[in-house]
Amino acid sequence: QLQLQESGPGLVKPSETLSLTCTVSAGSISSSSYYWGWIRQPPGKGLEWIGSIYYSGRTYYNPPLKSRVTVSVNTSKNQFSLKLSSVTAADTAVYYCARHRYSSGNNWFDPWGQGTLVTVSS
Amino acid sequence: QSVLTQPPSASGTPGQRVSVSCSGSSSNIGSNTVNWYQQLPGTAPKLLIYSNNQRPSGVPDRFSGSKSGTSASLAISGLQSEDEADYYCAAWDDSLNGYYVFGTGTKVTVL
């Protein structure tokens, strides 16, 4: 079945840019009706949606993060990526990628990757 | 920005029925369907309920969801020890060009 796997540095310095990639296997990132999203969870806290992208490149971002976030897609590699700029300690979290079922009035995330912990520290 | 409000905790003994509430607004739950996610300790969240009351394949039928107005509810009947987890509601919000919002989360403890 469809699987997603996050990859990228586990440690990022303050003010730098966090970069993660999600590799999709056993399925095509170019499937219609599906976006591909990023969600994060600070240690001991709740879930926060970051943004989602369609294979055509159309994106949606969470308003509080929009100025710092870029989500991109590489259909030839079946991957999508996250860049979060000017990070601070508050961006320390487990970052998940997930398939986003998107339609008017009807949205959910399934399945999810296992998640990767990114720590922001000097 | 909108928030979906859940009680921090809920508990029950094995076999009991437990309910978790989720309160939103007209721009999210009032306009869009609600989903529920289960997060077992140390694992990634898993979709439990989608489109208010639909269970993905493999989810036991003791889990059920409902929605009324700007609120939603998750019920676990016949509570089992393996149901001890964090539960999050979520929905799309139509304000600010649209965004996905999660609930504050509820820790369900099996006594």
Side-chain angles (χ1 to χ4, degrees), chain B:
Chain B
Q1 190 177 16
S2 297
V3 170
L4 302 183
T5 303
Q6 300 177 234
S9 62
S11 63
T13 57
Q16 274 191 329
R17 175 185 171 94
V18 169
S19 290
V20 178
S21 61
C22 174
S23 178
S25 67
S26 59
S27 61
N28 42 63
I29 294 178
S31 305
N32 300 291
T33 61
V34 177
N35 314 301
W36 290 89
Y37 299 89
Q38 178 193 56
Q39 187 174 31
L40 297 170
T43 69
K46 166 192 153 185
L47 181 67
L48 193 67
I49 298 286
Y50 67 97
S51 296
N52 299 331
N53 54 18
Q54 302 298 302
R55 286 185 306 276
S57 175
V59 173
D61 61 5
R62 64 177 183 275
F63 293 95
S64 61
S66 62
K67 177 184 124 171
S68 178
T70 58
S71 295
S73 183
L74 171 71
I76 310 173
S77 58
L79 190 67
Q80 298 184 9
S81 58
E82 58 260 38
D83 299 334
E84 185 160 294
D86 293 322
Y87 293 85
Y88 295 90
C89 61
W92 188 259
D93 192 295
D94 290 332
S95 63
L96 301 173
N97 293 319
Y99 62 97
Y100 196 76
V101 58
F102 287 95
T104 50
T106 298
K107 169 69 175 179
V108 170
T109 301
V110 181
L111 302 171

Side-chain angles (χ1 to χ4, degrees), chain A residues 39-54:
Chain A
I39 302 105
R40 70 180 182 178
Q41 184 174 35
K45 297 187 178 181
L47 300 167
E48 179 181 36
W49 173 69
I50 300 170
S52 296
I53 189 166
Y54 195 53

Side-chain angles (χ1 to χ4, degrees), chain A residues 38-80:
Chain A
W38 290 97
I39 302 105
R40 70 180 182 178
Q41 184 174 35
K45 297 187 178 181
L47 300 167
E48 179 181 36
W49 173 69
I50 300 170
S52 296
I53 189 166
Y54 195 53
Y55 74 90
S56 64
R58 181 171 185 178
T59 54
Y60 286 96
Y61 295 133
N62 197 347
L65 299 171
K66 187 175 182 178
S67 63
R68 298 195 292 130
V69 171
T70 301
V71 178
S72 58
V73 64
N74 185 328
T75 55
S76 64
K77 292 186 176 180
N78 229 31
Q79 295 176 333
F80 62 106

